[in-house]
Amino acid sequence: MTHPFLDLAPLSAEHFAAIEDRVARLLNTSAAQDVVIMQGEALLPLEGAIRATAGPGTVALNVITGPYGQTFGDWLRDCGATVHDLAVPFHTAVTAEQVRAAFAEHPEIDFVSLVHAEAATGNTNPVAAIGEVVREHGALFYLDAVASIAAEPVLPDAWGVDLCVIGAQKAMGGPAGVSAVSVSARAWERMAANAQAPRHSYLSLLDWKQRWIDGGRTALLHAPAQLEMLALEACVERIESEGLDALMARHASAAAATRAGALALGGGLGPYVHAAADAAPVATTLRAPAGTDARDLVARALAVDPVLPLVAGGGALAAEMIRVNHYGPQATRGVVQSSLAALGGALAEAGCPVDLEGARKAVAAAWA
């Protein structure tokens, strides 16, 4: 018995490198940065990059605008780094001025970790402005762009980002089993000088540098995740066909329409992120009306249409937050309209007055 997903020729190093090059073009990186595709979900390069560059001598500014920022602080402390957390309310974004103030208070900071877009909380941070401040200070800049890539501009070179981690499973509309990181020359130097940097390890970026990049990308470290790599190639082809700018515009339209539709729907439902400028295009978070439970509203909505990209918030936010994951193939006017209609029905069942027709008109007017 044969199967098209099983009986495939081995993925060659040349093919692997060609996929890497296409991902690099998506990031608009220059020859000054290397892009490495790692064989695991984005947590692999996210953790690997911190453990490669941080150690007991590191003084880090860890920006917290959502749960992933909290995780990065834990990893940095585990590496022995001194960590100064800059936490802002999850309904807003951090500012370049706040980062500058942190540098003034702790001039010894030499590492900055930041999440671009927090899909879990629905906010996005002004990386371009923050990058200017980080570059002036001279710190190494680590960025989680897993949620933002393909939903909004991600420009490691232009922004002075030294380590930029992306994943394909959100706005790119691709697989979760592979991820990538762009690495600057400064970051490679920091890793080489770090005695604690993982080596001969699945977490090791230096292994990829020494055995893959420095070797001319002719011999892979281990058997690649073939199906995931082919899926990544297919999703990049789809992005190239649609056009990255068009894809980002589609996400921006989905976010604007969801926000406008939720406000018009009424019933006490409203955006969780206060300012539209701070709201991520990859997903919109909504605050459940007082007296309701977000988990119950989502369950009622999904009972009508179980494929809608609706989920209640995580952890402490589970009872108050609803997330509309309008990313990748779900970033369409129809998905936004259907999601709000289902939430409107759930609110009506809970006794909240809603305006379904007003929401529909608002979505249509906001869709660019």
Side-chain angles (χ1 to χ4, degrees), residues 133-227:
V133 176
V134 175
R135 188 162 51 244
E136 290 171 8
H137 187 76
L140 201 75
F141 193 9
Y142 163 100
L143 184 69
D144 171 357
V146 174
S148 56
I149 184 67
E152 55 187 304
V154 177
L155 303 168
D157 283 2
W159 296 343
V161 177
D162 296 289
L163 295 155
C164 182
V165 177
I166 65 170
Q169 69 268 33
K170 289 187 167 65
M172 288 177 65
V178 287
S179 48
V181 54
S182 66
V183 187
S184 73
R186 287 202 321 153
W188 286 129
E189 291 169 3
R190 179 78 70 96
M191 292 180 210
N194 182 10
Q196 289 191 176
R199 288 176 170 82
H200 309 295
S201 162
Y202 206 63
L203 280 173
S204 177
L205 281 168
L206 280 175
D207 286 358
W208 283 96
K209 165 70 169 165
Q210 295 166 357
R211 297 171 56 192
W212 172 244
I213 296 171
D214 292 348
R217 299 193 303 174
T218 59
L220 289 160
L221 276 64
H222 43 69
Q226 181 164 342
L227 292 178

Side-chain angles (χ1 to χ4, degrees), residues 2-8 226-227 230:
T2 62
H3 195 287
F5 291 157
L6 297 178
D7 302 301
L8 297 169
Q226 181 164 342
L227 292 178
L230 294 174

Side-chain angles (χ1 to χ4, degrees), residues 72-357:
F72 300 158
D74 292 340
W75 286 340
L76 286 161
R77 290 182 176 91
D78 191 53
C79 291
T82 299
V83 182
H84 300 287
D85 288 326
L86 172 54
V88 302
F90 289 177
H91 63 256
T92 186
V94 73
T95 67
E97 290 71 25
Q98 288 172 307
V99 173
R100 192 185 300 277
F103 287 151
E105 186 177 357
H106 303 286
E108 69 277 16
I109 289 171
D110 64 0
F111 184 100
V112 176
S113 52
L114 174 70
V115 178
H116 188 184
E118 284 269 11
T121 49
N123 55 30
T124 190
N125 292 300
V127 183
I130 292 169
E132 288 185 18
V133 176
V134 175
R135 188 162 51 244
E136 290 171 8
H137 187 76
L140 201 75
F141 193 9
Y142 163 100
L143 184 69
D144 171 357
V146 174
S148 56
I149 184 67
E152 55 187 304
V154 177
L155 303 168
D157 283 2
W159 296 343
V161 177
D162 296 289
L163 295 155
C164 182
V165 177
I166 65 170
Q169 69 268 33
K170 289 187 167 65
M172 288 177 65
V178 287
S179 48
V181 54
S182 66
V183 187
S184 73
R186 287 202 321 153
W188 286 129
E189 291 169 3
R190 179 78 70 96
M191 292 180 210
N194 182 10
Q196 289 191 176
R199 288 176 170 82
H200 309 295
S201 162
Y202 206 63
L203 280 173
S204 177
L205 281 168
L206 280 175
D207 286 358
W208 283 96
K209 165 70 169 165
Q210 295 166 357
R211 297 171 56 192
W212 172 244
I213 296 171
D214 292 348
R217 299 193 303 174
T218 59
L220 289 160
L221 276 64
H222 43 69
Q226 181 164 342
L227 292 178
E228 287 80 1
M229 287 296 295
L230 294 174
L232 176 61
E233 182 178 41
C235 102
V236 173
E237 287 177 353
R238 187 165 61 183
I239 292 170
E240 292 170 347
S241 176
E242 179 176 0
L244 182 58
D245 289 344
L247 178 56
M248 291 190 292
R250 181 156 58 83
H251 281 84
S253 293
T258 303
R259 189 178 186 91
L263 287 168
L265 183 64
L269 190 69
Y272 182 85
V273 178
H274 292 182
D278 295 338
V282 71
T284 297
T285 47
L286 304 170
R287 191 178 296 277
T292 66
D293 189 305
R295 293 163 294 193
D296 176 62
L297 293 174
V298 168
R300 289 172 183 258
L302 292 179
V304 174
D305 190 346
V307 302
L308 292 174
L310 299 172
V311 63
L317 301 173
E320 62 181 286
M321 179 189 284
I322 298 167
R323 193 166 77 239
V324 185
N325 291 325
H326 47 66
Y327 52 68
Q330 304 293 338
T332 69
R333 179 173 159 180
V335 166
V336 170
Q337 191 71 265
S338 297
S339 296
L340 291 173
L343 286 174
L347 287 167
E349 286 182 20
C352 300
V354 295
D355 183 358
L356 291 172
E357 180 60 16

